[in-house]
Amino acid sequence: MFRVQAGNPWLDTLIVVTALEAATAVVGYAIGHLFLSLWLVTLAFLAWQLQYVLRLDRWLHQGGIAAPPDAPGIWGDVFNSLRRAQERHRRRRRTLADLLARSKQAADAVPDAVVVLGPRGELEWWNVAATRLLGLQAPRDAGQLAGALLRHPDFRTLLAADRYREALTIPSPVLPSVILEVRLVPFGERRRLLLARDVTRLVRLERMRRDFVANVSHELRTPLTVIHGVAETLVDSDEDGAAEQREALELLLQQTQRMRRLVEDLLLLSRLETTDASANQQVVAVAPLLQQLCQEAQTLSDGRHRIELNADATLALRGEESELRSAFSNLIINAVKYTPAGGEIRIDWRRIADGACLEVCDTGPGIAAEHLPRLTERFYRVDRGRSSRTGGTGLGLAIVKHVLHRHEGRLQIESELGVGSSFRCLFPASRLAVLT
Ligand code: ADP
């Protein structure tokens, strides 16, 4: 918008034009050619203006990259405005380019691979780490589909299913010794970020931890069996011994028994962690299994509790029987262990809307809400004293969680202090089988 102000070129030009036309009118009148003189002067003025329009047009045709031409008066004002706009534009472009370069430097400094995927899953952009960890090369791979370059079947499934919460652990397609944790993150309009992190060290440490626990447990098994055997023999052969000595031997027997259980649970846990869950699938008739576990619970309870079992005999599970037995047994034994005499224990195996549920309910002491999220951690106990008195290993619920995970199930715990607890194992419909 051009504004006419006192002292500005527009006003100056107006004054000059008016003065020129007035002078021309006087001279034209004097020589008797008033209109001709006015017309000629106006034409000359127009021609003078047109040459600047021509210069502006040429400058615009050259892309407006060079500095705009110099000119006096209003054209000088127009060209100066253009020059200022051009400089502002240049500065903004430089700032944007700097920002872009810095963002690219920052993305390249990230040790994790970052890949921008377009709406069809095509590669749009990636950082230096993506070249190193995933072998992506620019410009060769730009526009290629991610699934065609990273061919691991699990990755293709993740990509197709748009699962954003999951992280995959797969080997790098170019560095076989490197293990990557890969995840997808949605952003912008139908775009996704593919993030890949080198977790080789973590995976190795985790494997070392698992191997260490498994090896130690395995090595402890034989000496413990021997000690337990000797303790049993000593207890049996010391029937007439001093009460104090007998008490000590029984304590020894009791503790070696507890250590053996601990070692067995540790070995079971490491087996659950290290073996393939899909192996050894069978149809497990849950009702008879629960019947057996219920009888064992009656023996352990020794009449101190009322134990009730309701099991749908037609409902079976696809899975590994020994693992399911361990999980269910841990829940039922816990109910007996922690529920004081006179309490009730109810075991239910039934169909639910989207699968099946095994529920173990007791009228025991209950568990405070703050403990519930940590209950399935190894060796986590609400009350250390009570747990060790009951002879627990602290691994029972960790085993339950792992077994359920291997059977696509999940554990749901509800509990109220002073009222009781309910442990539910929920299995999806895909795991069910019907017995006739
Ligand atoms: P533990 O061998 O100590 O029983 P678990 O992993 O089986 O180990 O259980 C973890 C903790 O959860 C137990 O120490 C106990 O405090 C609590 N817990 C488990 N089941 C029950 C229950 N039915 N009632 C009350 N507390 C329970």
Side-chain angles (χ1 to χ4, degrees), residues 334 337-338 362 367 375 380-382 387 392-394 396-397 423:
N334 272 356
K337 272 189 330 193
Y338 294 108
D362 64 51
I367 305 158
L375 227 49
Y380 187 83
R381 276 120 166 191
V382 175
S387 298
T393 61
L397 293 180
F423 290 78

Side-chain angles (χ1 to χ4, degrees), residues 124-162:
E124 286 191 341
W125 178 89
W126 55 89
N127 66 351
V128 170
T131 302
R132 185 169 46 86
L133 296 173
L134 303 172
L136 302 182
Q137 294 291 343
R140 187 194 66 191
D141 297 330
Q144 301 263 27
L145 294 180
L149 290 173
L150 307 171
R151 294 171 161 272
H152 196 285
D154 292 351
F155 175 70
R156 288 174 154 206
T157 315
L158 182 85
L159 203 62
D162 266 355

Side-chain angles (χ1 to χ4, degrees), residues 20-35:
L20 188 68
E21 294 287 333
T24 307
V26 171
V27 173
Y29 185 74
I31 61 172
H33 293 289
L34 173 65
F35 291 107

Side-chain angles (χ1 to χ4, degrees), residues 281-286 315-320 324 328 349 356 358 404 407 427-428 430-435:
Q281 293 253 331
Q282 46 194 250
V283 172
V284 181
V286 178
L315 198 55
L317 260 182
R318 243 180 271 279
E320 168 59 46
L324 291 169
F328 298 165
W349 168 238
L358 170 90
L404 291 187
H407 289 79
F427 297 96
S430 56
R431 278 278 169 177
L432 301 186
V434 177
L435 297 176

Side-chain angles (χ1 to χ4, degrees), residues 379-390:
F379 300 113
Y380 187 83
R381 276 120 166 191
V382 175
D383 177 345
R384 289 207 157 261
R386 176 147 32 105
S387 298
S388 48
R389 271 199 310 281
T390 55

Side-chain angles (χ1 to χ4, degrees), residues 239-259:
E239 276 184 356
D240 316 318
E244 240 173 60
Q245 188 178 322
R246 204 176 156 69
E247 213 172 280
L249 283 175
E250 261 160 19
L251 190 63
L252 176 68
L253 191 63
Q254 200 185 336
Q255 292 304 314
T256 48
Q257 181 58 26
R258 186 158 166 231
M259 279 178 82

